[in-house]
């Protein structure tokens, strides 16, 4: 029986309908795992089926589209009789079958909207959670993810473990403290980060998972996921994007055999590994290492490549601060870590001009990408603009108050206009000394990636923006 067949029969077994009813849009069922459990402990996880995508389920199982809008992603049950070979181990384990729709476990409203005064997650952000673009094999982000994974699979030695479904809601402890982000670092500000409450955030980088994953005993791993940052609006910034983190731990014997100290050994191995990865993605390009600073690594570097006539930053990395490794059970060892943003790589490789396009479901975009077409340097996949619809520009001037920040304004505009807003830019800033007031003028560019907008709808959006500025934001419009 092929994989799909297996899954189908498992499906019946598992009352697949119930599982499907619980899926969210964009999720797909990818893994069916049998868990062998003995006295409450999981002894083994045995994959029994892989690679079934949502559309097939939709068709075969007749799941109403509306049902895909609800929570919960995994179901468990006692499985069919335990195969004989397991009894040979001398005990009677029970087996469970886990059907996991790969994806961050569904995020519920309650988890995100806490009612806490610190809570600053918007509806617009919530609507992106659980989309899991990086799980779609033929999505540009899924393609980049798999190309990088593939590269790590070619390396000698123990395989890198891969995590692409860790939950994006994490503690401030994980997101900041465990990776030594200073208490006064700007990234901790609610102007920069989405808080659920004072101690819980939407991760702003995948480094949030370094410590927990090390603590679980993993010493070579890749974590990929959606990360969230409050930011301004333009073609390359979006409040949700995707990062990949890599960590590799070394034993003293490894650097002793090489006759160098641990830091030097790790740094060298790091650079070689990442240069290989970069060639796997970009082909034979010129590269340079630039010194950098991150709170979690020392020394720290950025890798830049000369690509299509420009120097482009590919990733940040370094030798993990010993305190992090020691705190995660790695005393006496050494490690390296790197982090990269997938959207930026996909944008340059495939010539995708606007970061909003990653979120569109317009087939004129999605149908252009096929995993099998990838070639290093991206030549096998080139995005063809399907058309450029006219922009519509609106200016708004106001007296700045103490609470005003550009990020707050952008957040409000996104909430009102969603992906119809392309750019928000400060075009005038002056202080009237006589009355000691500061005036700003912002230009908002509206443009759809998919269709022409009407004047009426833009006017209505702009009117709402003005109302929100004058109301909720307490600004005096001019
Ligand atoms: N977390 C860093 C960022 O978001 C990237 C990074 C990861 C740098 C690991 C060094 C080591 O920019």
């Amino acid at each position: 029986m092929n994989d799909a067949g297996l899954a189908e029969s498992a499906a019946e077994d598992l009352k697949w309908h119930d599982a499907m009813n619980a899926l969210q849009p964009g999720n797909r069922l990818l893994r069916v795992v049998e868990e062998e459990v003995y006295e409450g402990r999981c002894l083994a996880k045995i994959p029994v089926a892989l690679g079934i995508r949502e559309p097939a389920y939709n068709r075969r199982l007749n799941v109403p589209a509306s049902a895909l809008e609800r929570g919960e992603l995994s179901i468990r049950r006692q499985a069919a009789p335990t195969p004989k070979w397991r009894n040979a181990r001398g005990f009677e384990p029970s087996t469970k079958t886990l059907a996991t729709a790969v994806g961050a476990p569904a995020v519920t409203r309650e988890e995100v909207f806490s009612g806490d005064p610190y809570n600053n997650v918007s509806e617009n952000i919530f609507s992106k959670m659980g989309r899991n673009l990086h799980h779609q094999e033929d999505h540009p982000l899924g393609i980049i993810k798999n190309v990088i994974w593939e590269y790590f699979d070619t390396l000698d030695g123990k395989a890198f473990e891969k995590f692409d479904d860790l939950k994006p809601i994490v503690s401030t402890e994980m997101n900041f403290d465990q990776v030594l982000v200073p208490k006064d670092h700007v990234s901790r500000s609610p102007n920069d980060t989405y808080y659920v409450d004072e101690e819980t955030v939407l991760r702003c980088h995948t480094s949030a998972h370094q410590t927990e994953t090390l603590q679980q005993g993993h010493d070579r791993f890749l974590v990929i996921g959606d990360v969230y940052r409050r930011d301004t609006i333009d073609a390359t910034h979006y409040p949700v994007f995707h990062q990949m983190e890599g960590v590799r731990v070394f034993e003293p014997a490894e650097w002793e055999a090489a006759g160098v100290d641990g830091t030097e050994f790790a740094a060298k191995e790091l650079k070689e590994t990442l240069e290989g990865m970069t060639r796997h993605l970009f082909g034979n390009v010129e590269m340079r290492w630039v010194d950098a600073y991150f709170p979690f690594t020392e020394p720290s570097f950025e890798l830049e490549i000369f690509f299509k006539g420009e120097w482009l930053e590919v990733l940040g990395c370094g030798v993990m601060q010993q305190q992090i490794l020691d705190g995660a059970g790695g005393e006496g060892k050494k490690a390296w870590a790197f982090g990269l943003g997938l959207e930026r790589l996909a944008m340059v490789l495939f010539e995708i001009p606007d970061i909003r396009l990653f979120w569109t479901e317009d087939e004129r975009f999605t149908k252009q990408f096929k995993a099998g077409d990838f070639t290093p340097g991206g030549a096998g996949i080139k995005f063809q603009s399907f058309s450029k619809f006219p922009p519509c520009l609106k200016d708004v001037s106001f007296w700045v108050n103490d609470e005003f920040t550009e990020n707050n304004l952008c957040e409000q505009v996104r909430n009102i206009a969603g992906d119809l807003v392309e750019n928000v830019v400060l075009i005038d800033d002056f202080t009237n000394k006589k009355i000691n007031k500061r005036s700003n003028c912002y230009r908002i560019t509206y443009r759809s990636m998919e269709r022409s907008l009407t004047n009426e709808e833009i006017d209505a959006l702009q009117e709402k923006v003005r109302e929100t500025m004058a109301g909720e934001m307490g600004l005096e419009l001019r």
Side-chain angles (χ1 to χ4, degrees):
M1 208 187 305
N2 61 22
D3 279 347
L6 247 173
E8 234 177 12
S9 62
E12 306 222 341
D13 228 351
L14 287 168
K15 296 208 176 61
W16 232 225
H17 248 84
D18 296 344
M20 290 307 297
N21 279 340
L23 286 179
Q24 290 204 327
N27 288 324
R28 59 193 174 140
L29 194 62
L30 196 78
R31 278 206 289 263
V32 179
V33 182
E34 225 172 67
E35 240 187 27
E36 208 175 60
V37 181
Y38 181 62
E39 289 188 339
R41 271 192 325 130
C42 173
L43 298 175
K45 287 189 178 180
I46 307 149
V48 295
L50 285 168
I52 300 94
R53 257 153 257 120
E54 182 190 288
Y57 273 100
N58 258 335
R59 199 181 56 240
R60 278 208 291 271
L61 297 167
N62 259 336
V63 177
S66 64
L68 295 176
E69 273 157 35
R70 295 189 294 269
E72 280 301 297
L73 292 188
S74 59
I75 54 166
R76 292 161 187 249
R77 70 183 266 287
Q78 292 302 119
T82 312
K84 277 205 194 86
W85 62 268
R86 285 194 199 119
N87 293 340
R89 293 188 194 172
F91 53 78
E92 274 273 277
S94 66
T95 18
K96 278 176 172 178
T97 301
L98 280 178
T100 311
V102 170
V107 172
T108 63
R109 293 193 72 82
E110 294 69 47
E111 282 176 290
V112 172
F113 300 112
S114 62
D116 189 281
Y118 235 72
N119 195 185
N120 64 351
V121 185
S122 63
E123 284 290 342
N124 179 50
I125 290 299
F126 178 63
S127 73
K128 307 285 188 257
M129 301 184 82
R131 278 281 298 277
N132 293 322
L133 300 177
H134 57 292
H135 292 166
Q136 297 172 29
E137 239 164 71
D138 289 326
H139 188 278
L141 299 177
I143 293 174
I144 301 280
K145 171 187 99 169
N146 283 317
V147 169
I148 299 178
W149 279 12
E150 226 174 72
Y151 166 75
F152 278 91
D153 286 344
T154 66
L155 299 180
D156 289 340
K158 194 174 141 194
F160 274 73
E161 282 166 292
K162 300 160 184 126
F163 301 92
D164 70 354
D165 54 5
L166 302 179
K167 206 167 182 158
I169 303 175
V170 301
S171 62
T172 50
E173 175 79 26
M174 291 167 73
N175 197 72
F176 301 123
D177 302 306
Q178 287 177 354
V179 284
L180 312 180
V181 175
K183 284 283 181 212
D184 59 357
H185 196 272
V186 283
S187 65
R188 291 192 187 241
S189 142
N191 190 49
D192 286 43
T193 290
Y194 292 101
Y195 279 81
V196 172
D197 57 39
E198 219 169 331
E199 282 157 11
T200 317
V201 294
L202 308 188
R203 66 182 163 216
C204 69
H205 56 178
T206 42
S207 304
H209 299 288
Q210 280 187 10
T211 301
E212 69 163 355
T213 314
L214 285 166
Q215 272 166 351
Q216 289 161 4
H218 303 288
D219 61 2
R220 272 167 222 210
F221 58 85
L222 302 166
V223 174
I224 174 174
D226 36 336
V227 299
Y228 297 78
R229 290 186 196 174
R230 296 182 93 240
D231 214 331
T232 51
I233 299 179
D234 63 36
T236 59
H237 290 87
Y238 201 82
V240 192
F241 60 104
H242 297 76
Q243 280 191 333
M244 184 171 322
E245 192 86 4
V247 171
R248 159 87 150 99
V249 181
F250 300 95
E251 303 287 335
E254 294 179 79
W255 63 83
E256 281 159 12
V260 293
D261 76 48
T263 305
E264 197 183 318
F265 184 82
K268 182 161 179 278
E269 215 272 351
L270 169 70
K271 288 181 174 178
E272 283 167 8
T273 305
L274 294 177
E275 285 172 11
M277 182 192 79
T278 303
R279 271 191 297 273
H280 199 73
L281 278 168
F282 289 93
N284 246 333
V285 286
E286 200 184 331
M287 302 185 204
R288 68 182 182 199
W289 288 98
V290 182
D291 288 334
Y293 166 79
F294 302 104
F296 19 90
T297 46
E298 177 61 38
S300 306
F301 316 99
E302 276 166 4
L303 176 56
E304 296 184 346
I305 58 169
F306 196 70
F307 191 64
K308 297 183 183 166
E310 281 183 316
W311 283 102
L312 164 86
E313 184 201 315
V314 174
L315 54 84
C317 66
V319 177
M320 188 181 286
Q321 290 278 10
Q322 199 58 35
Q323 194 186 332
I324 301 178
L325 193 55
D326 288 352
E331 296 89 346
K333 302 182 185 177
K334 271 281 158 197
W336 56 240
F338 75 85
L340 55 81
L342 295 164
E343 273 82 350
R344 233 162 40 98
L345 301 187
M347 286 176 85
V348 292
L349 276 167
F350 307 143
E351 297 174 3
I352 298 170
D354 192 301
I355 195 166
R356 289 175 293 167
L357 283 163
F358 291 103
W359 297 89
T360 184
E361 283 169 339
D362 190 320
E363 291 195 342
R364 288 171 297 177
F365 178 80
T366 56
K367 286 258 163 81
Q368 290 196 34
F369 303 92
K370 286 271 165 293
D373 292 345
F374 182 86
T375 51
I381 305 175
K382 279 285 160 282
F383 173 64
Q384 304 292 328
S385 242
F386 33 88
S387 62
K388 194 125 169 121
F389 297 96
C392 180
L393 279 53
K394 297 280 176 193
D395 294 349
V396 54
S397 300
F398 55 94
W399 297 111
V400 174
N401 64 16
D402 288 345
E403 292 83 54
F404 177 78
T405 69
E406 199 167 291
N407 282 0
N408 283 345
L409 173 64
C410 288
E411 181 90 347
Q412 297 291 359
V413 177
R414 281 241 204 248
N415 273 342
I416 293 161
D419 286 355
L420 297 182
V421 54
E422 175 167 291
N423 195 241
V424 174
V425 59
L426 180 65
I427 54 167
D428 191 35
D429 183 1
F430 77 91
T431 302
N432 180 328
K433 293 216 177 76
K434 266 194 225 135
I435 53 170
N436 197 24
K437 275 173 61 171
R438 182 170 164 203
S439 166
N440 276 358
C441 179
Y442 276 87
R443 174 160 295 166
I444 304 177
T445 305
Y446 297 94
R447 188 203 314 251
S448 167
M449 299 265 107
E450 289 142 17
R451 62 191 175 85
S452 285
L453 300 173
T454 64
N455 282 331
E456 295 77 62
E457 74 185 308
I458 298 300
D459 287 344
L461 291 173
Q462 182 68 6
E463 194 42 46
K464 270 201 196 137
V465 168
R466 294 177 65 88
E467 276 167 23
T468 305
M469 291 175 75
E472 221 172 299
M473 298 182 73
L475 295 166
E476 187 188 335
L477 300 185
R478 305 185 54 220

